Amino acid sequence: MTADLSHLDGEARRILRLNDKGGYTVPTAGLYPYQWNWDSAFAGLGFACFDVDRAWSELETLMSGQWENGMVPHILFHRPDPGYFPGADIWGTQDAAGKGAGRVASSGISQPPVAASFAWRIYQRDPEAGAERLRRMFPGLMAFHRWFMAARAESGAVAITHPWEAGRDNAPDWDAAMARISPEGVAPYTRRDTGHVNPRMRPTKEDYDRYIWLVQFGRERGWDDAAIAAESPFRVAEPTLTFTLMRACRDLRLAAGVLGEECAEIDGWIARLEAGAETLWNPETGAYDSYDLRSGQLAGAVSNASFLCWWGGLDDRRSRPTLARILDTARFALPSFDPAHPKFDPLRYWRGPVWGVMNMMAAIGLAEQGLSTEAARIRADTAALITENGFAEYFSPEDGTPAGGATFTWTAAIWLAWASPSAGEV
């Protein structure tokens, strides 16, 4: 008999409302006081389970910060909050003359483009109510994807200019690339994140110095994509952005179909991304990997992003043995980094913990490609982690210890949309 977990559905809805700031949702109070790009898209997916109108307004507020070049920033600073670093004054995007920064103060980089995928899912909740809102959002989503293909996909796979752009801030994938940065000239700063969360669960100071160096580097170049691409020591093509953009393009194509829009450009993007993804295949690890465009080397990193290939829509069984090994090793799936690797750390952010949002995308992709056993295991593990440990930001794959922020928006969202028994088959 399945346990009655309806009280968790209610708690998840409460968390979404708790973190609702009126048109946008913060990931959690204190630690993340602004609107984050992919967090917000997941929030929209969660709201769609009980308030479709509010779901659309979440994405509409996110798209209101779009730059003239199509980029949707990774943070929108709607209201000043002196408790967060680095804030809008550090990014300096409003001084980016000629770059067409958006109407909302923002960061100068983007994040995994899941917005189109979740706009499509929100539309499917109520096609009649959502048709016009999807139609109005479609040009902006096209521009967002067009920007990625022009500014980040020179190798076919999608590259990041900053670890924050992948959403996997301190993943071991970028250790070698980050080591090339000597963070001289970084202005003195005070971190705020470690005042909210145990420093044991966050990136190190050495990581953070380099993060801020890259922010200063981008600001000095006026957030000019071409200049940053040409001059930055850090440029890594990686699976998170490649596969989320691939999936988003497929979902945008579905939207184009119902809206009567042309699909040829989107089809071209999908073909380029599929070819580019092959450059990320690492036969030594048996998984998709990150590729350092400066050194020409694969990272040798097996991460949860490695298994987003199925979410991207690839019917590729080559990763299945590596996935089986990871599932056999971890008590709870999917760890964000290979537990057999010396750099694995079960509690330090993206160097080992389980993230429910990555689990959702990986498992849905697996199920769609007919790998139902693996998909069911990941979904069951995610449900168990939340049931036993609450709506934490992330969890230890060894014993389920909740880590990072609490009452976390996207964990609540994926519970409602996917992990909860009430979500049904997804």
Side-chain angles (χ1 to χ4, degrees):
M1 181 180 295
T2 303
D4 181 6
L5 301 178
S6 58
H7 65 288
L8 290 177
D9 294 353
E11 176 62 6
R13 291 191 292 269
R14 185 191 74 83
I15 289 170
L16 287 172
R17 294 188 180 103
L18 174 71
N19 293 331
D20 184 354
K21 300 303 177 184
Y24 72 95
T25 311
V26 300
T28 191
L31 182 60
Y32 302 108
Y34 297 112
Q35 184 178 21
W36 262 257
N37 186 324
W38 69 327
D39 294 72
S40 189
F42 277 100
L45 185 68
F47 277 120
C49 297
F50 62 96
D51 188 341
V52 172
D53 178 71
R54 180 62 186 80
W56 280 115
S57 67
E58 185 75 28
L59 293 188
E60 289 160 355
T61 304
L62 173 64
M63 297 302 292
S64 74
Q66 187 167 32
W67 287 23
E68 289 180 13
N69 64 5
M71 194 265 280
V72 180
H74 100 290
I75 305 175
L76 297 180
F77 301 105
H78 292 288
R79 307 173 189 172
D81 189 317
Y84 180 78
F85 177 86
D89 58 325
I90 303 299
W91 289 92
T93 57
Q94 298 306 314
D95 301 328
K99 300 302 175 294
R103 293 171 295 165
V104 182
S106 74
S107 63
I109 60 174
S110 194
Q111 262 192 331
V114 297
S117 292
F118 297 155
W120 176 246
R121 284 179 172 255
I122 294 167
Y123 163 79
Q124 289 179 301
R125 287 272 177 175
D126 189 340
E128 184 176 355
E132 184 56 33
R133 296 177 92 162
L134 182 64
R135 185 179 301 279
R136 290 199 301 265
M137 191 172 292
F138 184 83
L141 293 171
M142 283 289 292
F144 187 26
H145 292 194
R146 191 176 292 121
W147 171 81
F148 261 118
M149 298 304 298
R152 296 287 189 271
E154 66 266 29
S155 70
V158 183
I160 57 171
T161 62
H162 193 296
W164 289 340
E165 203 156 44
R168 299 187 295 126
D169 302 18
N170 66 333
D173 303 47
W174 358 105
D175 283 358
M178 290 287 275
R180 284 197 298 270
I181 297 172
S182 180
E184 284 113 2
V186 170
Y189 64 89
T190 300
R191 288 176 66 173
R192 306 295 184 183
D193 59 325
T194 50
H196 295 283
V197 172
N198 185 341
R200 166 79 179 81
M201 301 175 180
R202 301 293 293 175
T204 65
K205 183 183 185 303
E206 290 74 18
D207 290 328
Y208 228 84
D209 286 347
R210 288 166 172 80
Y211 300 155
I212 302 306
W213 188 92
L214 285 168
V215 171
Q216 293 180 184
F217 178 91
R219 179 174 181 166
E220 288 165 3
R221 283 149 188 81
W223 299 107
D224 183 288
D225 288 325
I228 293 169
E231 301 170 24
S232 176
F234 183 91
R235 197 165 184 89
V236 181
E238 63 89 41
T240 322
L241 285 170
T242 300
F243 292 128
T244 55
L245 183 58
M246 188 186 297
R247 175 57 179 252
C249 287
R250 296 189 198 282
D251 290 331
L252 195 60
R253 195 188 192 287
L254 294 172
V258 302
L259 296 174
E261 300 284 349
E262 289 293 326
C263 298
E265 185 176 17
I266 302 173
D267 289 340
W269 295 339
I270 294 169
R272 274 185 64 196
L273 290 166
E274 287 180 345
E278 191 60 27
T279 68
L280 304 182
W281 176 254
N282 189 335
E284 294 184 8
T285 62
Y288 289 94
D289 197 358
S290 293
Y291 183 78
D292 187 334
L293 294 175
R294 297 295 183 246
S295 71
Q297 299 294 315
L298 289 162
V302 177
S303 69
N304 49 5
S306 302
F307 306 116
L308 295 182
C309 53
W310 297 291
W311 171 256
L314 296 185
D315 183 11
D316 187 342
R317 297 297 196 266
R318 292 177 298 176
S319 293
R320 197 176 183 186
T322 303
L323 175 61
R325 177 179 65 78
I326 297 294
L327 294 178
D328 286 344
T329 303
R331 179 180 174 191
F332 294 104
L334 279 168
S336 49
F337 193 59
D338 186 349
H341 197 284
K343 291 184 177 180
F344 170 77
D345 186 326
L347 289 177
R348 196 176 290 281
Y349 218 38
W350 290 91
R351 301 180 80 86
V354 177
W355 294 75
V357 290
M358 299 291 278
N359 281 9
M360 188 196 85
M361 292 188 291
I364 290 175
L366 282 160
E368 289 172 342
Q369 299 301 330
L371 301 175
S372 56
T373 300
E374 295 94 327
R377 160 72 194 277
I378 295 168
R379 185 178 181 186
D381 280 5
T382 309
L385 285 167
I386 295 171
T387 301
E388 297 169 14
N389 302 289
F391 294 93
E393 184 177 4
Y394 48 94
F395 307 87
S396 165
E398 295 181 338
D399 60 11
T401 296
T407 58
F408 217 82
T409 291
W410 69 7
T411 309
I414 63 103
W415 172 266
L416 290 171
W418 169 70
S420 169
S422 67
E425 295 300 319
V426 180

